[in-house]
């Protein structure tokens, strides 16, 4: 998983988080309350972290913290401004069709 990283798909209906071809989580756009760039300390760990509604998908020290109606999600990425831009499109209900891959974006 570390080699492939996490892949975030930004779609009309929301965000999908995938790795190795498997969907780990979907976040419908209507559940996204807010999001912001934050730093992520090594003490928080790397990989998939958290339990229940609070999850982190992190491989690096920069994340986008997404607050949803069901909990919180952290998306790690070397270029978090790109994630925010993509989330702006998703929450604005615009059609987009591209992926953001954490491994290739480093």
């Amino acid at each position: 998983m570390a080699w492939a990283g996490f892949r975030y798909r930004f779609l009309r209906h929301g965000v999908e988080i995938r790795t190795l071809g498997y969907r780990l989580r979907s976040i419908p756009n209507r559940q996204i309350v807010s999001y912001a760039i934050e730093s992520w300390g090594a003490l928080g760990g790397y990989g998939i972290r958290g339990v229940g509604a609070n999850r982190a998908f992190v491989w690096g020290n920069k994340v986008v913290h997404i607050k949803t109606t069901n909990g919180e999600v952290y998306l790690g990425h070397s270029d978090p401004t790109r994630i925010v831009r993509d989330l702006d499109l998703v929450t604005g209900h615009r059609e987009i069709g591209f992926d953001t891959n954490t491994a290739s974006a480093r």
Side-chain angles (χ1 to χ4, degrees), residues 25 28 31 33 52-54 67-72:
R25 180 154 184 182
Q31 291 182 0
V33 175
N54 298 323
K67 292 183 182 180
T68 72
T69 56
N70 297 6
E72 301 181 16

Side-chain angles (χ1 to χ4, degrees), residues 21-94:
Y22 294 99
R23 186 179 66 180
L24 302 173
R25 180 154 184 182
S26 293
I27 306 170
N29 60 2
R30 67 184 176 280
Q31 291 182 0
I32 298 173
V33 175
S34 65
Y35 45 90
I37 297 171
E38 296 179 4
S39 60
W40 184 264
L43 294 177
Y46 298 105
I48 301 172
R49 294 287 184 236
V51 293
N54 298 323
R55 293 287 173 132
F57 303 90
V58 180
W59 203 259
N61 61 357
K62 298 176 188 173
V63 298
V64 175
H65 180 188
I66 302 172
K67 292 183 182 180
T68 72
T69 56
N70 297 6
E72 301 181 16
V73 178
Y74 297 84
L75 303 180
H77 199 272
S78 62
D79 185 5
T81 55
R82 183 174 173 191
I83 299 293
V84 168
R85 183 198 68 214
D86 296 347
L87 283 167
D88 287 343
L89 292 171
V90 168
T91 58
H93 303 288
R94 297 180 194 165

